[in-house]
Amino acid sequence: MAVTDEQQPEQDVEEEREAPPQLDPEVLARRRAALAHVRQFGDPVLRTKARPVERFDGALHEEVRRMQALMHDALGLGLAAPQVGVSHRLLVYRVEPDSPIVALVNPEIEWSSRDEEISEEGCLSLIAVHVDVERPIAVLVRARDEHGEDLVIEATGLEARVIQHEIDHLDGVLILDRTSREQRKAAMRALREAEQAAGVA
Ligand code: NI
């Protein structure tokens, strides 16, 4: 999941606009380099249900470290393995800028609140898109950490939202599927325009 104005005004990083002056050019260059490794809308891996992780070995630790570094450099709040082309049920996220980036392996939502809330979301795989998404306010998630230890996470607010957004990626679901028909149409238009501007249409 990508930051939006609403969530983190101090990190205004909407890609389709001019770079905000407070962002260091080096930070922006690193972000651009990281985004080049993130699969974009249209890549079939983003629509594929990811496979459970079975081995908690060095290769998994390496994958986690790579995703953490990419998410950090891309200024994202979360990143799921399919977004880097790996069909694994693995995600990383961080909602507080200075806290460690958490890795969740084989996460399952065990409970979600009946109360829902609408908020704007962006996605590192849908760079030109910000849409309103309604989601449960609180969730209870069971997962493993990268060493195979059990994790139970009770999350609310932004943390709950980011985890749900990333778990959606593991099931091939995107924010376009979770917004209104009108916003989806506008988003598809923005994506087409962005493609044309990039000369790949
Ligand atoms: Ni996303």
Side-chain angles (χ1 to χ4, degrees):
M1 185 163 147
V3 292
T4 71
D5 290 349
E6 207 178 301
Q7 287 150 358
Q8 302 209 352
E10 76 280 10
Q11 283 191 7
D12 180 359
V13 286
E14 288 201 32
E15 304 78 5
E16 68 273 29
R17 289 195 201 144
E18 280 300 295
Q22 70 271 27
L23 268 188
D24 195 304
E26 254 179 57
V27 171
L28 282 174
R30 258 207 307 279
R31 178 165 202 267
R32 226 168 289 124
L35 284 173
H37 295 278
V38 176
R39 303 297 178 96
Q40 295 299 309
F41 179 70
D43 191 313
V45 73
L46 295 174
R47 289 307 202 177
T48 305
K49 196 172 162 69
R51 291 186 305 272
V53 171
E54 284 166 2
R55 290 188 193 175
F56 295 82
D57 56 6
L60 179 70
H61 302 159
E62 186 52 45
E63 207 174 303
V64 167
R65 272 192 295 277
R66 175 169 177 251
M67 284 174 60
Q68 287 169 330
L70 281 176
M71 193 200 95
H72 175 84
D73 287 352
L75 308 178
L77 298 172
L79 185 67
Q83 292 183 276
V84 293
V86 178
S87 187
H88 263 167
R89 301 193 75 79
L90 162 65
L91 64 88
V92 296
Y93 77 97
R94 169 172 63 189
V95 289
E96 299 295 336
D98 298 320
S99 59
I101 299 175
V102 179
L104 301 184
V105 183
N106 300 338
E108 300 279 353
I109 296 178
E110 196 164 280
W111 171 87
S112 39
S113 64
R114 201 171 295 167
D115 282 347
E116 301 200 328
E117 167 171 76
I118 297 176
S119 187
E120 188 178 79
E121 293 186 17
C123 179
L124 296 175
S125 294
L126 291 155
I127 277 176
V129 172
H130 292 102
V131 291
D132 290 332
V133 179
E134 186 168 22
R135 297 191 189 273
I137 291 173
V139 289
L140 179 73
V141 177
R142 281 187 193 279
R144 306 284 197 98
D145 70 9
E146 61 190 278
H147 306 288
E149 299 296 326
D150 287 327
L151 287 176
V152 179
I153 293 173
E154 290 176 67
T156 58
L158 182 58
E159 184 181 14
R161 181 168 291 276
V162 173
I163 293 173
Q164 291 175 84
H165 175 119
E166 301 311 333
I167 290 179
D168 271 353
H169 275 301
L170 306 182
D171 294 322
V173 174
L174 300 171
I175 51 178
L176 296 173
D177 310 321
R178 295 225 183 258
T179 193
S180 66
R181 202 159 156 263
E182 293 70 36
Q183 288 199 29
R184 181 162 53 246
K185 277 165 85 178
M188 292 304 292
R189 208 176 312 128
L191 284 166
R192 272 197 304 273
E193 283 167 11
E195 257 184 28
Q196 277 159 7
V200 286

